[in-house]
């Protein structure tokens, strides 16, 4: 059912678990099934590069793989660059995915967007406080 | 890795060695077609007849009321379509429940497309069919009531005798899918007033690909397969002699050992549930705590997903099945757990452990140990909090 790559990631996922101190968090509840995906990101204040990203998932083996791969993909990219990541890009990295699980790549994309929106909200609040 | 542990006996069981020994000569020694007139055929027919007698004895009916099929799915298809088509002039209404096996539900849906009306009864939180609804929906057009004896996912054993009595009083044929119940509870079709019953061999340590339909003499049911006079002309096709021989032997053994096996399984199963609930928090047992199949433990683990549990256990050599649908190639939630009104996130976190004759206390202890670490690991990676358990909804923000 799942490719060896997906099973290997499931066995030892990278970037897994909650982050104690992050700059932003994105959480999306899937509208397709009951899966939940969550990303934590640390952003370099000067360069806007995501220096660290972790994921949490309530979902199937494929959701783990997508979460892990997407978190890894986010690292090293700027806030603007991660918004360019599309579902197809994630799918390309994951490789083979059962067709009924492809929606997970969109779930990951939405979770990136949610994390970045959270980051931008926090930045705006910070800027406002600094001005005041 | 320690030895492999198989806790998916509700999916299928290992072939009993006594059963295998009885089957062996019918592959390459007594290989005649049971319909042939010569001695090769007569020897095969004698074996099929003996199997039929054994199964009839096991469920308390006459041998000529047993019809061999390829399994319970075929038996379920046959009884529904056969009764529906044979009784079109009498009525067009069938009553079943929402927690039946797909071979009942999908066949009913097919019959609905052909113009029949089907009522799907609700179940209560334990999975018992709502008898009040059965009484409410019975009508002069009802031609069949089909309710499974015990549920494959949650293990709840229905009050079959009560349902059969209602059907009997109203003069409506009653069918039960006894796939999971055979060998687990006593089934006597005469005493229980059952008119038709589906049986499967591979759930009781018999071979795969063989089952039977019991049809009470006189019940109006159309034949299922055409093209030969096998099975009294009602189910054409060369009979599967080795399979039938094995099935007959498996029924003989499981009905003979039913008390001892059930006692042993119940004791191990209850020990397993106690251990899991003591060592892991927020685990919920599905189905009725007592009136359930002796080998079934359907457990919902909060904050984690069933398929992930399944694969992590599998990596440690432990085989179970999941109540969530993710691993079945569909994203639909289990219709059984949904009918019990279990919240979506707990449905996702449901795993079915089904013990077997070979399961030992050591197997259970090892499974519990592995399970504790698996759940801990998965909860560490889960974004769901305790406060959210039972409340998660699709598309929530």
């Amino acid at each position: 059912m799942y490719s060896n790559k997906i099973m290997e990631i499931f066995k030892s996922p990278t970037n897994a678990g909650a982050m104690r101190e992050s700059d932003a968090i994105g959480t999306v509840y899937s509208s397709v099934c009951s899966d939940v995906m969550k990303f934590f990101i640390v952003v370099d204040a000067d360069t806007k590069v995501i220096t660290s990203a972790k994921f949490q998932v309530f979902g199937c083996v494929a959701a783990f793989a997508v979460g892990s791969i997407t978190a890894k993909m986010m690292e090293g990219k700027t806030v603007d660059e991660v918004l360019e990541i599309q579902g197809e890009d994630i799918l390309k990295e994951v490789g083979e995915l059962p067709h009924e699980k492809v929606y997970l790549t969109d779930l990951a994309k939405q979770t990136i967007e949610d994390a970045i929106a959270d980051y931008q909200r926090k930045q705006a609040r910070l800027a406002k406080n600094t001005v005041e | 890795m320690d030895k492999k542990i198989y806790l998916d006996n509700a999916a299928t069981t290992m072939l009993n060695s006594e059963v295998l020994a009885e089957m062996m000569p019918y592959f390459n020694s007594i290989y005649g077609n049971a319909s042939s007139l010569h001695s090769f055929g007569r020897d095969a027919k004698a074996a099929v007849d003996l199997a039929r007698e054994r199964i009839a004895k096991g469920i308390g009916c006459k041998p000529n009321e047993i019809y061999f099929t390829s399994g319970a799915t075929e038996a379920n298809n046959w009884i529904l379509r056969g009764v529906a088509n044979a009784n079109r002039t009498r009525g067009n209404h069938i009553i079943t429940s929402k927690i039946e096996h797909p071979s009942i539900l999908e066949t009913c849906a097919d019959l609905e497309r052909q113009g029949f009306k089907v009522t799907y009864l609700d179940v209560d939180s334990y999975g018992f069919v709502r008898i009040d609804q059965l009484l409410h929906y019975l009508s002069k057009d009802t031609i069949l009531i089909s309710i499974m004896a015990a549920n494959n996912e949650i293990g709840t054993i229905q009050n079959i005798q009560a349902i059969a009595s209602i059907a009997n009083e109203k003069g409506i044929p009653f069918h039960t899918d006894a796939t999971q119940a055979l060998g687990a509870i006593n089934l006597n079709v005469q005493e229980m007033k059952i008119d038709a019953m589906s049986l499967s061999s591979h759930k009781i340590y018999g071979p795969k690909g063989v089952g039977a339909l019991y049809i009470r003499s006189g019940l109006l049911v159309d034949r299922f397969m055409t093209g030969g006079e096998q099975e009294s002309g009602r189910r054409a096709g060369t009979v599967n002699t080795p399979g039938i021989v094995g099935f007959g032997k498996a029924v003989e053994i499981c009905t003979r050992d039913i008390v001892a096996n059930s006692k042993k399984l119940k004791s191990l199963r209850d020990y397993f549930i106690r251990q899991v609930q003591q060592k892991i928090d927020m685990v919920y047992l599905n189905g009725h705590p007592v009136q359930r199949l002796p080998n079934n433990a359907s457990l919902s683990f909060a904050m984690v997903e069933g398929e992930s549990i399944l694969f992590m256990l599998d990596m440690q050599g432990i085989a179970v099945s999941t109540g969530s649908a993710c691993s079945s190639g569909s994203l639909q939630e289990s219709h059984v757990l949904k009918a019990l009104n279990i919240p979506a996130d707990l449905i996702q976190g449901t795993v079915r452990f089904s013990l077997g004759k070979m399961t030992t206390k050591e197997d259970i202890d090892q499974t519990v140990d592995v399970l504790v670490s698996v759940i801990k690991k998965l909860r560490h990676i889960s974004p769901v909090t305790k406060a959210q358990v039972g409340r998660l909804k699709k598309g929530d923000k």
Side-chain angles (χ1 to χ4, degrees):
Chain A
M1 179 183 178
Y2 292 123
S3 66
N4 290 340
K5 184 175 181 181
I6 289 177
M7 288 311 295
E8 283 308 313
I9 296 168
F10 177 69
K11 275 182 202 169
S12 21
T14 58
N15 303 60
M19 204 182 261
R20 285 221 176 121
E21 287 182 19
S22 62
D23 291 320
I25 298 171
T27 311
V28 176
Y29 299 76
S30 167
S31 56
V32 181
C33 70
S34 302
D35 289 359
V36 183
M37 196 170 283
K38 190 169 188 172
F39 289 137
F40 302 81
I41 53 171
V42 175
V43 184
D44 184 285
D46 300 325
T47 61
K48 304 291 178 202
V49 167
I50 294 168
T51 55
S52 178
K54 287 184 99 171
F55 81 96
Q56 283 189 311
V57 148
F58 170 75
C60 59
V61 169
F64 269 80
V66 169
S68 177
I69 282 177
T70 309
K72 192 90 192 146
M73 283 171 79
M74 289 165 79
E75 287 180 338
K77 290 191 173 63
T78 65
V79 167
D80 290 338
E81 282 167 353
V82 292
L83 286 174
E84 299 295 315
I85 296 174
Q86 300 300 315
E88 302 89 80
D89 303 322
I90 300 167
L91 185 59
K92 203 181 285 177
E93 285 296 316
V94 175
E96 244 176 278
L97 202 56
H99 75 277
E100 72 274 11
K101 307 274 186 179
V102 173
Y103 77 93
L104 288 166
T105 58
D106 285 328
L107 179 66
K109 176 180 158 52
Q110 289 166 28
T111 312
I112 294 175
E113 288 166 355
D114 199 56
I116 301 304
D118 183 49
Y119 176 73
Q120 284 164 344
R121 263 193 312 271
K122 283 173 179 164
Q123 287 300 301
R125 208 177 304 141
L126 200 66
K128 195 178 163 197
N129 289 344
T130 313
V131 171
E132 279 170 4
Chain B
M1 191 190 292
D2 296 313
K3 76 160 188 169
K4 280 194 165 195
I5 299 171
Y6 185 75
L7 296 176
D8 199 14
N9 288 276
T12 197
T13 55
M14 185 174 89
L15 189 70
N16 180 303
S17 53
E18 247 185 287
V19 170
L20 177 63
E22 194 129 342
M23 290 170 70
M24 287 308 282
Y26 296 93
F27 286 106
N28 58 1
S29 175
I30 310 167
Y31 55 83
N33 184 326
S35 299
S36 299
L37 297 177
H38 45 64
S39 67
F40 290 81
R42 290 199 303 276
D43 288 347
K45 185 175 184 301
V48 170
D49 287 345
L50 175 63
R52 207 184 302 275
E53 279 166 27
R54 282 170 165 169
I55 294 165
K57 192 177 167 203
I59 63 164
C61 70
K62 296 192 281 275
N64 65 1
E65 292 175 315
I66 295 290
Y67 298 88
F68 289 112
T69 64
S70 64
T73 292
E74 182 187 321
N76 284 341
N77 266 265
W78 181 0
I79 195 67
L80 290 170
R81 295 177 198 277
V83 168
N85 291 327
N87 293 275
R88 268 177 194 276
T89 52
R90 256 195 63 219
N92 69 341
H93 180 225
I94 293 165
I95 297 180
T96 186
S97 84
K98 286 184 176 169
I99 63 164
E100 300 295 312
H101 187 267
S103 57
I104 291 285
L105 295 176
E106 288 178 25
T107 307
C108 281
D110 214 10
L111 289 171
E112 282 187 279
R113 287 189 284 273
Q114 292 171 32
F116 290 92
K117 287 185 180 139
V118 182
T119 299
Y120 301 90
L121 301 176
D122 287 324
V123 293
D124 66 15
S125 58
Y126 290 126
F128 290 122
V129 166
R130 292 268 304 271
I131 305 273
D132 59 319
Q133 286 191 356
L134 171 66
L135 291 166
H136 177 77
Y137 287 110
L138 278 172
S139 81
K140 62 177 177 46
D141 289 326
T142 310
I143 51 172
L144 182 70
I145 298 168
S146 177
I147 304 291
M148 71 195 333
N151 185 269
N152 50 314
E153 289 190 39
I154 56 168
T156 298
I157 299 168
Q158 296 296 333
N159 297 309
I160 284 300
Q161 196 136 14
I163 299 167
S165 293
I166 292 167
N168 198 253
E169 273 168 31
K170 303 279 180 188
I172 297 165
F174 173 66
H175 164 256
T176 188
D177 172 3
T179 302
Q180 296 286 338
L182 182 64
I185 57 169
N186 279 313
L187 294 167
N188 186 302
V189 293
Q190 289 306 318
E191 286 170 11
M192 296 170 89
K193 298 187 174 76
I194 295 167
D195 298 301
M197 186 156 79
S198 301
L199 302 169
S200 174
S201 158
H202 74 108
K203 310 284 188 187
I204 55 161
Y205 309 92
K208 294 165 182 60
V210 59
L213 178 62
Y214 149 73
I215 306 176
R216 183 178 52 74
S217 292
L219 186 67
L220 213 52
V221 186
D222 268 6
R223 62 183 174 172
F224 191 60
M225 304 258 260
T226 50
E229 289 308 307
Q230 294 88 354
E231 299 303 281
S232 310
R234 304 182 82 175
R235 199 274 188 192
T238 301
V239 296
N240 168 10
T241 306
I244 288 168
V245 166
F247 183 22
K249 187 65 183 172
V251 169
E252 185 184 70
I253 294 169
C254 81
T255 48
R256 180 191 72 198
D257 301 343
I258 193 166
V259 175
N261 273 339
S262 295
K263 195 177 163 196
K264 181 204 151 189
L265 285 168
K266 261 184 212 168
S267 160
L268 264 183
R269 190 267 322 271
D270 290 342
Y271 170 72
F272 171 67
I273 294 170
R274 274 197 311 274
Q275 288 291 304
V276 171
Q277 291 193 318
Q278 274 170 21
K279 294 182 176 175
I280 303 171
D281 66 341
M282 299 184 85
V283 183
Y284 310 98
L285 178 70
N286 301 307
H288 194 271
V290 180
Q291 198 171 320
R292 64 186 301 124
L293 291 170
N295 71 336
N296 173 292
S298 167
L299 296 168
S300 296
F301 297 85
M303 299 175 278
V304 290
E305 202 270 341
E307 190 196 79
S308 306
I309 303 172
L310 181 152
F311 277 106
M312 281 206 178
L313 290 176
D314 187 47
M315 289 189 286
Q316 310 255 9
I318 300 168
V320 298
S321 76
T322 166
S324 69
C326 283
S327 51
S328 63
S330 134
L331 294 172
Q332 296 297 311
E333 292 159 339
S334 149
H335 66 285
V336 176
L337 299 172
K338 208 172 170 185
L340 266 65
N341 282 324
I342 293 172
D345 56 302
L346 288 175
I347 291 179
Q348 291 275 91
T350 301
V351 175
R352 180 187 68 185
F353 302 83
S354 48
L355 286 59
K357 282 203 278 196
M358 274 64 77
T359 310
T360 64
K361 183 173 174 292
E362 289 67 36
D363 293 341
I364 295 299
D365 287 335
Q366 195 185 324
T367 301
V368 172
D369 285 348
V370 174
L371 197 54
V372 168
S373 71
V374 163
I375 299 299
K376 192 178 169 189
K377 188 172 176 188
L378 288 172
R379 281 183 177 167
H380 175 70
I381 313 176
S382 172
V384 180
T385 63
K386 284 186 179 181
Q388 289 175 309
V389 173
R391 295 162 189 270
L392 284 183
K393 287 192 179 67
K394 287 177 189 176
D396 264 1
K397 267 283 177 187

